[in-house]
Amino acid sequence: MTTKEKNRPLRVLQLTDPHLMARADGDLLGVRTRESLQAVIAEVLKVHGQPDLILATGDLAQDGSVEAYRVFGESLKSFSCPSVWIAGNHDHIDNLLQVSREYNASDRHVIQGGWQFVMLDSSVPGKVFGALAESELAFLSETLEQHPDIPAVIALHHHPVDIGSDWMEKIGLTNRDAFWQVLDRFPQVRIVLWGHIHQEHERER
């Protein structure tokens, strides 16, 4: 590794909502999801090069099948870095956990490159909206308490803010106030990432 490579900023890639299926020709709203994921990966490599860490923030599978998760894991072999996966509303949590462990992608807390990454499960079985269980909020609080001096990125699937869409408002994180009450205690939190909304949204708080 060259000195220039050692000194460059940490490169973190967020991949979200690929909605893969067991069927190779599976499509969502007319889009073949396997082809869409491959196009995204090709664009990332062309424009940005290899990342150092991948955060996969939910709805990895549309049908919740083991095969779909393995397709996702095999697709990530285009990259030479670790990844961590969390569930969205379309995911089958047990199947996702099974396959994420096969690909060493089940960690909930990662410290790398001077940052810490906390991965939260906001999925609610059988529901489109999300919520963080008390155990998830406790995990978040305890993890941040243990590492007060490391800047933190928090990742979940469901949006914890109003994005200006009436129908999306009903299917976001339902206990967002409890979520922010935890984060407000920890000044090391710098970034919150989510998926679910299928569009770009950025704000400062």
Side-chain angles (χ1 to χ4, degrees), residues 9-198:
L10 185 71
R11 293 176 178 170
V12 180
L13 171 64
Q14 181 190 12
L15 288 176
T16 196
D17 295 79
H19 291 273
L20 298 172
M21 306 175 203
R23 287 177 23 239
D25 63 348
D27 72 89
L28 181 67
L29 301 176
V31 176
R32 292 196 173 187
T33 57
R34 291 195 190 188
E35 293 177 6
S36 177
L37 176 59
Q38 291 307 315
V40 168
I41 290 172
E43 182 73 4
V44 167
L45 292 172
K46 177 182 177 182
V47 175
H48 301 287
Q50 287 283 346
D52 301 306
L53 177 66
I54 297 168
L55 309 179
T57 53
D59 280 0
L60 309 186
Q62 177 72 9
D63 60 7
S65 65
V66 167
E67 177 61 27
Y69 296 118
R70 288 194 175 131
V71 168
F72 185 71
E74 290 301 304
S75 297
L76 295 192
K77 289 184 176 180
S78 297
F79 302 109
S80 56
C81 68
S83 64
V84 283
W85 309 358
I86 52 176
N89 50 288
H90 285 284
D91 288 305
H92 186 288
I93 187 65
D94 291 337
N95 289 347
L96 186 152
L97 286 173
Q98 173 192 331
V99 180
S100 68
R101 289 176 182 132
E102 294 174 7
Y103 289 90
N104 297 313
S106 61
D107 286 345
R108 303 284 311 283
H109 183 237
V110 175
I111 298 177
Q112 185 173 337
W115 286 80
Q116 59 176 319
F117 302 86
V118 185
M119 309 297 289
L120 299 176
D121 179 8
S122 63
S123 65
V124 179
K127 303 296 182 182
V128 179
F129 63 78
L132 292 169
E134 286 299 322
S135 58
E136 288 296 292
L137 293 170
F139 166 72
L140 173 62
S141 178
E142 291 164 5
T143 302
L144 293 174
E145 284 174 354
Q146 291 168 8
H147 304 279
D149 299 322
I150 306 176
V153 176
I154 313 301
L156 67 166
H157 181 68
H158 293 84
H159 49 292
V161 298
D162 181 1
I163 65 165
S165 169
D166 289 343
W167 76 272
M168 288 295 294
E169 189 68 10
K170 299 173 184 177
I171 60 172
L173 189 72
T174 56
N175 60 339
R176 63 180 61 171
D177 288 345
F179 172 67
W180 290 113
Q181 284 170 11
V182 173
L183 293 196
D184 285 343
R185 294 165 38 213
F186 298 100
Q188 75 265 38
V189 175
R190 306 294 172 82
I191 298 171
V192 177
L193 295 175
W194 61 84
H196 194 47
I197 63 175
H198 291 226

